[in-house]
Amino acid sequence: MIRTFFVFLFIFLFLLITLPLDLVLYLISRKNPDLQIRICRKIIHWAFTFILWICGVHIKADGQENIPEGAVLFVGNHQSYLDILTTYVSIKGGTGYVSKIEMDKVPVFNLWMRGINCLFLDRDNIREGIKTIKKGTEELKKGYSMFIFPEGTRNQAEEMLEFKAGSTKMAEKANVPILPVAISGTADIFENNAHFSVKPGKVRITFGKPIIINDLAKEERRFLSGYTQNIIKEMLNSHKQEI
């Protein structure tokens, strides 16, 4: 429980102490949005790294050489809140995330999320969902990578939930590669423990080879979400075989 206490204490102090900085970053964004994003991403990278250190998380990340230059749509399975922290610190240059709309209601926290190009998706409102996809497409075209968890919610079950239809639309519309990401071990550090206490552990992340959409067969492009999910399943199976 002591680790859990220090994690939440750090998050509270971070949000409190950096509150004036949010105003400075907002002013910077008015004149130089790219600079504001770079500053935010470096600060969040440091904060996430420190939180993972408190938690006692050891990350083994494979396939980072598969991350190409330029924007990509990262697509991963989702087991834990720690999926965001562990993948973020493993991606050079950072990335924005597609998050549920409820996260946009958390004061101060939502400002930092917006600062690193996160988007908030309302799955119950089709019209707003389309707007979010369009916004994500624009960010990809600008050169900013995005990360999406197509299961739609955290899932600690043995099998992944079916990927939501349209989860790869941003990559298709922006004509950027899809990078499948397999994540194991994060739920055992937090969600699977009694009272959601933090327990030290190892996290395995595998970045697959980029999926170039235009190089796929017609049938594969037609069912692109399922095609991507099958690749992630194979990578997760390889994680189990190595244990």
Side-chain angles (χ1 to χ4, degrees):
M1 292 296 292
I2 190 67
R3 291 180 185 269
T4 308
F5 170 77
F6 279 115
V7 167
F8 284 101
L9 177 62
F10 173 80
I11 293 173
F12 172 76
L13 292 176
F14 175 83
L15 295 177
L16 180 65
I17 293 171
T18 60
L19 186 56
L21 181 59
D22 289 323
L23 176 59
V24 176
L25 290 169
Y26 170 75
L27 295 175
I28 292 175
S29 71
R30 303 285 290 183
K31 291 189 175 182
N32 194 335
D34 289 339
L35 177 60
Q36 178 257 342
I37 292 170
R38 290 198 301 270
I39 294 173
C40 283
R41 289 188 170 185
K42 287 183 178 180
I43 293 173
I44 293 300
H45 187 280
W46 171 82
F48 282 1
T49 300
F50 192 73
I51 291 172
L52 293 171
W53 176 77
I54 296 174
C55 294
V57 176
H58 298 278
I59 302 173
K60 180 182 179 183
D62 298 319
Q64 288 166 304
E65 69 278 3
N66 290 328
I67 303 176
E69 295 292 332
V72 299
L73 178 66
F74 295 97
V75 177
N77 61 301
H78 197 21
Q79 297 181 330
S80 168
Y81 286 117
L82 290 177
D83 294 337
I84 294 176
L85 280 72
T86 53
T87 54
Y88 190 87
V89 301
S90 301
I91 297 171
K92 185 178 179 180
T95 179
Y97 289 82
V98 178
S99 179
K100 58 185 180 181
I101 191 67
E102 288 77 10
M103 299 304 294
D104 193 27
K105 300 175 183 178
V106 183
V108 186
F109 189 78
N110 59 353
L111 297 178
W112 282 105
M113 292 185 70
R114 290 182 179 276
I116 62 171
N117 281 28
C118 289
L119 302 176
F120 303 95
L121 180 63
D122 187 350
R123 298 187 185 279
D124 297 324
N125 188 320
I126 296 178
R127 179 174 296 179
E128 290 302 315
I130 293 174
K131 289 182 180 179
T132 302
I133 296 300
K134 288 183 178 179
K135 177 63 176 175
T137 301
E138 293 171 5
E139 294 301 311
L140 289 168
K141 287 181 178 179
K142 291 178 184 177
Y144 297 116
S145 294
M146 297 300 300
F147 201 123
I148 190 168
F149 299 105
E151 290 174 274
T153 186
R154 289 172 293 130
N155 171 40
Q156 288 88 51
E158 187 72 17
E159 294 294 327
M160 278 189 289
L161 300 175
E162 184 177 353
F163 278 10
K164 301 292 184 181
S167 56
T168 57
K169 283 294 182 184
M170 285 186 288
E172 295 178 69
K173 292 181 178 293
N175 193 27
V176 300
I178 294 172
L179 204 79
V181 185
I183 311 163
S184 300
T186 48
D188 290 333
I189 294 170
F190 186 51
E191 280 84 352
N192 288 346
N193 302 320
H195 308 296
F196 290 97
S197 60
V198 173
K199 179 182 178 181
K202 297 179 180 180
V203 172
R204 177 77 186 280
I205 301 174
T206 300
F207 295 94
K209 294 182 179 180
I211 299 172
I212 310 301
I213 299 173
N214 290 336
D215 291 347
L216 298 178
K218 183 177 180 180
E219 194 70 9
E220 293 169 338
R221 291 199 303 269
R222 183 181 176 189
F223 299 102
L224 188 53
S225 293
Y227 176 80
T228 304
Q229 183 168 20
N230 287 334
I231 293 175
I232 296 173
K233 283 181 180 180
E234 292 177 4
M235 293 193 293
L236 288 173
N237 287 334
S238 69
H239 288 189
K240 295 176 184 178
Q241 294 170 6
E242 294 175 10
I243 296 176

Coordinates of all heavy atoms in Angstrom, one line a residue, residues 1-8 47-60 82 85-86 89 184-186 188-190 193 197-204:
M1 N 0.8 -1.2 0.0 CA 0.0 0.0 0.0 C 0.8 1.3 0.0 O 0.4 2.3 -0.4 CB -0.9 0.0 1.2 CG -2.0 -1.1 1.2 SD -3.2 -0.8 -0.2 CE -4.0 0.7 0.3
I2 N 2.1 1.2 0.5 CA 2.9 2.4 0.6 C 3.2 2.9 -0.8 O 3.3 4.1 -1.0 CB 4.2 2.0 1.4 CG1 5.0 3.3 1.7 CG2 5.1 1.1 0.6 CD1 4.3 4.3 2.6
R3 N 3.4 2.0 -1.8 CA 3.7 2.5 -3.1 C 2.5 3.2 -3.7 O 2.6 4.2 -4.4 CB 4.1 1.3 -4.0 CG 5.4 0.7 -3.7 CD 5.7 -0.5 -4.7 NE 7.0 -1.1 -4.4 CZ 8.1 -0.8 -4.9 NH1 8.2 0.2 -5.7 NH2 9.2 -1.5 -4.5
T4 N 1.3 2.7 -3.4 CA 0.1 3.3 -3.9 C -0.1 4.7 -3.3 O -0.4 5.6 -4.0 CB -1.2 2.4 -3.5 OG1 -0.9 1.1 -3.9 CG2 -2.4 3.0 -4.1
F5 N 0.2 4.8 -2.0 CA 0.1 6.1 -1.4 C 1.0 7.1 -2.1 O 0.6 8.3 -2.4 CB 0.5 6.0 0.1 CG 0.7 7.3 0.8 CD1 -0.4 8.1 1.2 CD2 1.9 7.8 1.0 CE1 -0.3 9.3 1.8 CE2 2.1 9.0 1.7 CZ 1.0 9.8 2.0
F6 N 2.3 6.7 -2.3 CA 3.2 7.7 -2.9 C 2.9 8.0 -4.3 O 3.2 9.1 -4.8 CB 4.7 7.1 -2.8 CG 5.3 7.3 -1.4 CD1 5.6 6.3 -0.6 CD2 5.5 8.6 -1.0 CE1 6.2 6.5 0.6 CE2 6.1 8.8 0.3 CZ 6.4 7.8 1.1
V7 N 2.3 7.0 -5.1 CA 1.9 7.3 -6.4 C 0.8 8.4 -6.5 O 1.0 9.4 -7.2 CB 1.4 6.1 -7.1 CG1 0.6 6.4 -8.4 CG2 2.5 5.1 -7.5
F8 N -0.2 8.3 -5.6 CA -1.3 9.2 -5.6 C -0.8 10.6 -5.0 O -1.3 11.6 -5.4 CB -2.5 8.7 -4.9 CG -3.3 7.7 -5.7 CD1 -3.1 6.3 -5.5 CD2 -4.1 8.1 -6.7 CE1 -3.8 5.4 -6.3 CE2 -4.8 7.2 -7.5 CZ -4.7 5.8 -7.2
A47 N 7.4 12.7 -15.7 CA 6.4 12.3 -14.7 C 6.0 10.8 -14.8 O 6.0 10.2 -13.7 CB 5.1 13.2 -14.8
F48 N 5.8 10.3 -16.0 CA 5.4 8.9 -16.1 C 6.6 8.0 -15.7 O 6.4 7.0 -15.1 CB 5.0 8.6 -17.6 CG 3.6 9.1 -17.9 CD1 2.8 9.7 -17.0 CD2 3.1 8.8 -19.2 CE1 1.5 10.1 -17.3 CE2 1.8 9.2 -19.5 CZ 1.0 9.9 -18.6
T49 N 7.8 8.4 -16.1 CA 8.9 7.6 -15.7 C 9.1 7.5 -14.2 O 9.4 6.5 -13.6 CB 10.2 8.2 -16.3 OG1 10.1 8.2 -17.7 CG2 11.5 7.4 -15.9
F50 N 8.8 8.7 -13.5 CA 9.0 8.7 -12.0 C 7.9 7.8 -11.4 O 8.1 7.1 -10.4 CB 8.9 10.1 -11.5 CG 9.3 10.3 -10.1 CD1 10.6 10.2 -9.7 CD2 8.3 10.5 -9.1 CE1 11.0 10.4 -8.4 CE2 8.6 10.7 -7.8 CZ 10.0 10.6 -7.4
I51 N 6.6 7.9 -11.9 CA 5.6 7.1 -11.4 C 5.9 5.6 -11.5 O 5.7 4.8 -10.6 CB 4.2 7.5 -12.1 CG1 3.8 8.9 -11.7 CG2 3.1 6.4 -11.7 CD1 2.6 9.3 -12.4
L52 N 6.4 5.2 -12.7 CA 6.7 3.8 -12.9 C 7.8 3.4 -12.0 O 7.9 2.2 -11.5 CB 7.1 3.6 -14.4 CG 5.9 3.8 -15.4 CD1 6.4 3.8 -16.8 CD2 4.8 2.7 -15.2
W53 N 8.7 4.3 -11.7 CA 9.8 4.0 -10.7 C 9.3 3.7 -9.3 O 9.6 2.8 -8.6 CB 10.8 5.1 -10.7 CG 11.9 4.9 -9.7 CD1 13.0 4.1 -9.8 CD2 12.0 5.5 -8.4 NE1 13.8 4.1 -8.7 CE2 13.2 5.0 -7.8 CE3 11.2 6.5 -7.7 CZ2 13.6 5.4 -6.5 CZ3 11.6 6.9 -6.5 CH2 12.8 6.3 -5.9
I54 N 8.3 4.6 -8.9 CA 7.7 4.4 -7.6 C 7.0 3.0 -7.6 O 7.0 2.3 -6.6 CB 6.7 5.5 -7.3 CG1 7.4 6.9 -7.2 CG2 5.9 5.3 -6.0 CD1 6.4 8.1 -7.1
C55 N 6.3 2.7 -8.7 CA 5.6 1.4 -8.7 C 6.5 0.2 -8.8 O 6.0 -0.9 -8.5 CB 4.6 1.4 -10.0 SG 3.3 2.6 -9.9
G56 N 7.7 0.4 -9.1 CA 8.6 -0.7 -9.2 C 8.4 -1.5 -10.5 O 8.6 -2.7 -10.6
V57 N 8.1 -0.8 -11.6 CA 7.8 -1.4 -12.9 C 9.1 -1.5 -13.7 O 9.8 -0.5 -13.9 CB 6.8 -0.5 -13.7 CG1 6.6 -1.1 -15.1 CG2 5.4 -0.5 -12.9
H58 N 9.3 -2.7 -14.3 CA 10.4 -2.9 -15.2 C 9.9 -3.2 -16.5 O 9.1 -4.2 -16.7 CB 11.3 -4.0 -14.6 CG 11.9 -3.8 -13.3 ND1 13.1 -3.0 -13.1 CD2 11.5 -4.1 -12.0 CE1 13.4 -2.9 -11.9 NE2 12.5 -3.6 -11.2
I59 N 10.2 -2.5 -17.5 CA 9.7 -2.6 -18.9 C 10.7 -3.3 -19.8 O 11.8 -2.9 -19.9 CB 9.3 -1.3 -19.5 CG1 8.3 -0.5 -18.6 CG2 8.7 -1.5 -20.9 CD1 8.0 0.9 -19.0
K60 N 10.2 -4.3 -20.5 CA 11.0 -4.9 -21.5 C 10.3 -4.6 -22.8 O 9.2 -5.1 -23.1 CB 11.1 -6.5 -21.4 CG 11.9 -7.1 -22.5 CD 12.0 -8.6 -22.4 CE 12.8 -9.2 -23.5 NZ 12.9 -10.7 -23.5
L82 N -2.0 1.6 -16.6 CA -0.6 1.6 -16.8 C -0.2 1.4 -18.2 O 1.0 1.6 -18.6 CB 0.1 0.6 -15.9 CG 0.1 1.0 -14.4 CD1 0.8 -0.2 -13.6 CD2 0.8 2.3 -14.1
L85 N 1.0 4.7 -19.5 CA 2.3 5.2 -19.0 C 3.5 4.4 -19.6 O 4.5 4.9 -20.0 CB 2.4 5.0 -17.4 CG 1.7 6.1 -16.6 CD1 0.2 6.1 -16.7 CD2 2.1 6.0 -15.1
T86 N 3.3 3.0 -19.6 CA 4.4 2.2 -20.1 C 4.7 2.3 -21.6 O 5.8 2.3 -22.0 CB 4.1 0.7 -19.7 OG1 2.8 0.3 -20.3 CG2 4.2 0.5 -18.2
V89 N 6.4 6.0 -22.3 CA 7.8 6.2 -22.1 C 8.6 5.3 -23.0 O 9.9 5.5 -23.1 CB 8.2 5.8 -20.6 CG1 7.4 6.7 -19.6 CG2 7.9 4.3 -20.3
S184 N 1.7 -6.8 -22.1 CA 1.4 -7.8 -21.1 C 2.0 -7.4 -19.7 O 3.0 -6.7 -19.6 CB 2.0 -9.1 -21.5 OG 1.6 -9.6 -22.7
G185 N 1.2 -7.7 -18.6 CA 1.8 -7.5 -17.3 C 1.3 -6.3 -16.5 O 1.5 -6.2 -15.3
T186 N 0.7 -5.4 -17.2 CA 0.3 -4.1 -16.6 C -0.8 -4.3 -15.5 O -0.8 -3.7 -14.4 CB -0.2 -3.1 -17.6 OG1 -1.1 -3.7 -18.5 CG2 1.0 -2.5 -18.4
D188 N -1.4 -6.9 -13.7 CA -0.9 -7.5 -12.5 C -0.2 -6.5 -11.5 O 0.0 -6.8 -10.3 CB 0.1 -8.6 -12.8 CG -0.5 -9.8 -13.5 OD1 -1.7 -10.0 -13.3 OD2 0.1 -10.5 -14.3
I189 N 0.2 -5.4 -12.0 CA 0.8 -4.4 -11.2 C -0.2 -3.5 -10.5 O 0.0 -3.0 -9.4 CB 1.7 -3.5 -12.1 CG1 2.9 -4.3 -12.6 CG2 2.2 -2.3 -11.3 CD1 3.7 -3.6 -13.7
F190 N -1.4 -3.4 -11.1 CA -2.4 -2.5 -10.4 C -3.8 -3.2 -10.3 O -4.2 -3.6 -9.2 CB -2.5 -1.2 -11.2 CG -3.4 -0.2 -10.6 CD1 -3.2 0.2 -9.2 CD2 -4.4 0.5 -11.3 CE1 -4.1 1.1 -8.6 CE2 -5.2 1.5 -10.7 CZ -5.0 1.8 -9.4
N193 N -4.8 -6.5 -8.3 CA -4.4 -6.6 -6.9 C -5.6 -6.1 -6.0 O -6.4 -5.3 -6.4 CB -3.2 -5.7 -6.6 CG -2.0 -6.2 -7.4 OD1 -1.8 -7.3 -7.7 ND2 -1.2 -5.2 -7.9
S197 N -4.2 -1.9 -5.2 CA -2.9 -1.5 -4.7 C -1.8 -1.8 -5.7 O -2.0 -2.7 -6.6 CB -2.6 -2.3 -3.4 OG -2.5 -3.7 -3.6
V198 N -0.7 -1.1 -5.6 CA 0.4 -1.2 -6.6 C 1.3 -2.3 -6.1 O 1.7 -2.4 -5.0 CB 1.1 0.1 -6.7 CG1 2.4 -0.1 -7.6 CG2 0.2 1.2 -7.3
K199 N 1.7 -3.2 -7.1 CA 2.6 -4.3 -6.8 C 3.7 -4.2 -7.9 O 3.4 -4.2 -9.1 CB 1.9 -5.6 -6.8 CG 2.7 -6.8 -6.6 CD 1.9 -8.1 -6.7 CE 2.8 -9.3 -6.5 NZ 2.0 -10.6 -6.7
P200 N 5.0 -4.2 -7.5 CA 6.1 -4.2 -8.4 C 6.0 -5.4 -9.4 O 5.5 -6.5 -9.1 CB 7.3 -4.3 -7.6 CG 6.9 -3.9 -6.2 CD 5.5 -4.3 -6.1
G201 N 6.4 -5.2 -10.6 CA 6.3 -6.3 -11.6 C 7.0 -5.9 -12.9 O 7.5 -4.8 -13.1
K202 N 6.9 -6.8 -13.8 CA 7.5 -6.7 -15.2 C 6.4 -6.5 -16.2 O 5.4 -7.1 -16.1 CB 8.4 -7.9 -15.5 CG 9.6 -8.1 -14.6 CD 10.4 -9.3 -15.0 CE 11.6 -9.5 -14.1 NZ 12.4 -10.7 -14.5
V203 N 6.7 -5.6 -17.1 CA 5.8 -5.3 -18.2 C 6.5 -5.6 -19.5 O 7.6 -5.3 -19.7 CB 5.3 -3.9 -18.3 CG1 4.5 -3.6 -19.5 CG2 4.5 -3.6 -17.0
R204 N 5.8 -6.4 -20.4 CA 6.3 -6.7 -21.7 C 5.6 -6.0 -22.8 O 4.3 -6.1 -22.8 CB 6.2 -8.2 -21.9 CG 6.7 -8.7 -23.3 CD 8.2 -8.7 -23.4 NE 8.7 -9.0 -24.8 CZ 8.7 -10.2 -25.3 NH1 8.3 -11.3 -24.5 NH2 9.1 -10.4 -26.5

